[in-house]
Amino acid sequence: MPTDTNSILEPARRTEVHGAYEIVVLGGGPAGIAAAAAAAIYGRKTLLIERYGFLGGMGTAAGVTNFCGLHANVHGEIGQVVHGIADELLARIDRLGGLNAPHLVLGKTHAQAYDTAAYKCAADDLLTGRGVDILFHALAVDARMDEGGAIQALIIETKSGRRAVLADIFIDCSGDGDLAAWTGASFERGDGDGNMLYPTAMFRVNGVNPDQAGEAWRTIPERMAQAERRGVRFPRKGAIVRPQRHPIEWRVNVTQLASANGRALDGTDAIELSAGEIEGRRQILGYFDFLKRDVPGFEDAYIVDIPPQIGIRETRRLAGRYQLTETDVLACASFYDTVGVNGWPIEEHAAGDVLWRWPDIPESRGFNHLPYRMLLPREVGNLLVAGRCASMTHAAQSAARVSGACFVMGQAAGAAAHLALAANKALSDIPVDALQRMLEEGGAYLGRDVN
Ligand SMILES: Cc1cc2nc3c(=O)[nH]c(=O)nc-3n(C[C@H](O)[C@H](O)[C@H](O)COP(=O)(O)OP(=O)(O)OC[C@H]3O[C@@H](n4cnc5c(N)ncnc54)[C@H](O)[C@@H]3O)c2cc1C
């Protein structure tokens, strides 16, 4: 019997190198897709590493099935403000018949639903078409630093064994800031008081009668209130129940997952994640009972999908060279180093509710700039961090974590990595005007033409 039952000592070992790349992207969500696509278009030898067997991140793995943040309410007019690689992906999803027309959200902006199967295939096509190497079923587990404090290798575990991946520049699009954390880069969690945004287990139902369901999303809040009066309990208010491309299928965003202390479940804790999967499915069954019983058109519906994992909104956030704040979002801040825009409001998933805070509409331009410095760690030279784990406060992240802003940050990170290699400069020293020119040439909108 070993004397220490809390830990074991593993022997040192030699790890085979999977490959040497110019740019390695960790994570295949919206940020990672855009980062890899942007890096590869400049001819960079690029590898994207993803733990699942498909791309899309929370958008597919957690069944989000809806793009937010592609649009903004610009002085009263709703229009698309995120372009570039996002356009290329959307066009491919549309060609596969998997994209809804944009729909109105709370009377103020648009979102756009999609089918996960089409998203997965479209993202494969986008990246393979640009020559990105994709390694699926590879879980990154550690980073190896060199003597100068730069990342030398990312360590991954695969079915073929443990491997090291070498690169000049790494882009952390893991959503959880896994790579940044292993390097020792500074990061934060939550609001400073231990509160993160609550996760949600999404699900979709099929067999809805669209004629009878009609615009059920308008009546569901009142039907929930009636059900509560007869004793039914719901995990949260603010249910989002909306049709997909084929209106016999609807997505349901209503569960809310807490840890034992009642605060948001921690998406970097394996034990809490395990409990959350089970609790998520329990809540799904409860809400599905309500839909069948109380909502016309759902009587013959069935649950067609509970996605591979619960949806995690927030875990680690980089504490980088600039932290986007709630004031930046609400005041539609401008930055000299804008790489694109965020038009989504503060969407706080608090205990039992979803709280919204918007910039002034129609007085404001309805979007803030996203500065390049949000992607730059203070400590590690050859690392960028893009997506929901980029450098923002807890409140700002509740806005700029959505897909639109993640596409923006990813595209900027991929282009910046190329520029640093081409100019032989540190990521923190690249000429920002050159980066902005490249992004605009790549179709991106930087939001510099409207105040
Ligand atoms: C329930 C829910 C509903 C939401 N609703 C909407 C919505 O309607 N519209 C919208 O636009 N946004 C919505 N969001 C937010 C949005 O989906 C995410 O914030 C967005 O996907 C973040 O993109 P990302 O690329 O930064 O990270 P993610 O989408 O989280 O992608 C990270 C990727 O990295 C991979 N990965 C992570 N760690 C590792 C590792 N160690 N090794 C290998 N791979 C790894 C993951 O598998 C994943 O594919 C929602 C989020 C949730 C949770």
Side-chain angles (χ1 to χ4, degrees):
M1 193 65 180
T3 48
D4 181 356
T5 52
N6 292 319
S7 63
I8 61 158
L9 192 62
E10 288 190 81
R13 54 180 165 180
R14 184 162 287 281
T15 301
E16 199 178 306
V17 171
H18 169 79
Y21 286 81
E22 291 180 295
I23 299 170
V24 162
V25 177
L26 175 60
I33 292 169
I41 202 166
Y42 301 107
R44 292 293 163 194
K45 190 177 179 210
T46 304
L47 173 71
L48 185 147
I49 292 170
E50 168 56 49
R51 70 178 144 169
Y52 292 125
F54 51 85
L55 300 169
M58 291 300 121
T60 51
V64 164
T65 63
N66 184 48
F67 292 128
C68 295
L70 294 173
H71 301 81
N73 189 318
V74 185
H75 294 299
E77 205 162 309
I78 302 171
Q80 191 178 334
V81 290
V82 172
H83 290 283
I85 287 162
D87 281 339
E88 297 183 42
L89 183 67
L90 262 67
R92 282 171 170 78
I93 299 175
D94 198 22
R95 277 203 292 279
L96 292 168
L99 191 65
N100 290 38
H103 63 272
L104 201 57
V105 178
L106 301 173
K108 293 193 169 165
T109 190
H110 281 164
Q112 199 162 5
Y114 56 81
D115 292 346
T116 49
Y119 188 168
K120 292 175 187 174
C121 299
D124 284 348
D125 184 54
L126 177 67
L127 294 199
T128 56
R130 289 190 171 195
V132 175
D133 283 353
I134 303 175
L135 190 66
F136 283 133
H137 301 291
L139 179 70
V141 291
D142 205 355
R144 172 99 200 149
M145 308 300 284
D146 68 19
E147 282 161 8
I151 308 168
Q152 179 197 15
L154 182 63
I155 309 298
I156 57 176
E157 293 284 357
T158 76
K159 281 283 185 184
S160 322
R162 188 176 172 93
R163 297 285 184 271
V165 181
L166 311 181
D168 298 318
I169 293 179
F170 294 82
I171 307 178
D172 184 348
C173 299
S174 66
D176 296 323
D178 283 2
L179 173 53
W182 297 322
T183 66
S186 305
F187 64 85
E188 293 179 353
R189 285 168 189 272
D191 62 355
D193 213 13
N195 301 300
M196 292 187 281
L197 300 179
Y198 281 81
T200 291
M202 298 283 297
F203 70 106
R204 296 197 311 284
V205 296
N206 207 332
V208 178
N209 180 327
D211 297 329
Q212 284 175 19
E215 297 191 343
W217 59 88
R218 294 188 196 283
T219 58
I220 279 177
E222 177 50 29
R223 291 184 197 283
M224 285 171 67
Q226 282 167 8
E228 276 182 326
R229 288 197 280 278
R230 62 165 202 268
V232 178
R233 288 288 162 261
F234 295 105
R236 70 160 215 243
K237 296 182 188 143
I240 302 167
V241 187
R242 302 283 308 212
Q244 297 300 117
R245 179 77 179 79
H246 300 277
I248 53 169
E249 182 178 319
W250 289 48
R251 71 176 174 285
V252 187
N253 176 344
V254 70
T255 66
Q256 184 169 87
L257 302 170
S259 63
N261 63 15
R263 293 175 191 266
L265 176 151
D266 180 355
T268 59
D269 181 311
I271 294 171
E272 292 202 7
L273 280 167
S274 301
E277 297 287 355
I278 295 165
E279 171 61 13
R281 288 190 279 273
R282 193 191 66 77
Q283 292 183 16
I284 285 171
L285 293 183
Y287 196 77
F288 180 59
D289 276 350
F290 157 77
L291 283 177
K292 273 180 84 83
R293 176 181 159 155
D294 289 58
V295 184
F298 284 75
E299 297 83 353
D300 297 324
Y302 63 95
I303 298 174
V304 67
D305 187 42
I306 297 177
Q309 70 151 89
I310 55 174
I312 303 298
R313 292 187 169 86
E314 180 195 4
T315 55
R316 303 184 194 97
R317 293 173 281 99
L318 179 73
R321 303 227 171 190
Y322 184 83
Q323 254 187 321
L324 192 78
T325 66
E326 173 166 0
T327 307
D328 293 335
V329 174
L330 295 180
C332 300
S334 295
F335 297 101
Y336 73 89
D337 56 344
T338 174
V339 290
V341 308
N342 164 59
W344 198 248
I346 304 293
E347 183 195 333
E348 193 188 335
H349 285 256
D353 211 346
V354 186
L355 310 173
W356 298 82
R357 296 190 287 284
W358 298 77
D360 289 338
I361 290 174
E363 292 79 10
S364 75
R365 69 180 175 191
F367 64 73
N368 62 278
H369 288 165
L370 296 165
Y372 173 56
R373 285 162 294 157
M374 284 174 66
L375 315 179
L376 279 171
R378 282 183 262 136
E379 301 89 349
V380 186
N382 64 341
L383 174 68
L384 289 167
V385 180
R388 67 181 168 88
C389 51
S391 181
M392 328 178 223
T393 63
H394 164 72
Q397 196 265 6
S398 79
R401 73 192 161 87
V402 297
S403 311
C406 291
F407 285 126
V408 167
M409 291 185 253
Q411 182 164 358
H418 159 70
L419 192 56
L421 294 175
N424 198 20
K425 283 190 181 295
L427 286 163
S428 53
D429 291 339
I430 57 167
V432 167
D433 54 342
L435 173 63
Q436 291 170 327
R437 251 192 330 275
M438 281 167 56
L439 291 171
E440 284 178 337
E441 282 164 13
Y445 173 65
L446 306 194
R448 295 189 285 189
D449 58 338
V450 50
N451 289 312

